[in-house]
Amino acid sequence: GGPAIESTSIDKYFIVSKEERLYDTVKSIYEHSADPKILKVYDGSAHAQHMFKETYAEEFTELILEFIEG
């Protein structure tokens, strides 16, 4: 949770599961944050570190690494 990110000088990557309890909050922060930004939504209800245990764990990890490496 928290306020939208107003900075236009940093890249932002929001990753969330469709059925997790914070989905609406994450989506709202994404929508109100400045570009550049990316939203990735996965099926299921996994949150945070539990996303690394899901069937998409390998893709999820690659997305994070690619984002960090730029």
Side-chain angles (χ1 to χ4, degrees), residues 17-31:
S17 296
K18 283 182 187 176
E19 297 171 24
E20 77 152 282
R21 64 182 180 85
L22 294 176
Y23 173 78
D24 290 334
T25 301
V26 172
K27 190 172 178 206
S28 178
I29 293 170
Y30 167 79
E31 289 171 351

Side-chain angles (χ1 to χ4, degrees), residues 36-69:
K37 61 186 179 184
I38 299 169
L39 174 65
K40 177 66 177 173
V41 179
Y42 283 103
D43 289 332
S45 61
H47 174 77
Q49 73 274 16
H50 301 289
M51 295 177 86
F52 290 101
K53 301 174 193 172
E54 296 296 317
T55 58
Y56 53 75
E58 187 174 331
E59 176 190 359
F60 174 67
T61 302
E62 286 298 317
L63 290 174
I64 292 170
L65 292 174
E66 288 174 13
F67 180 76
I68 291 170
E69 293 171 352

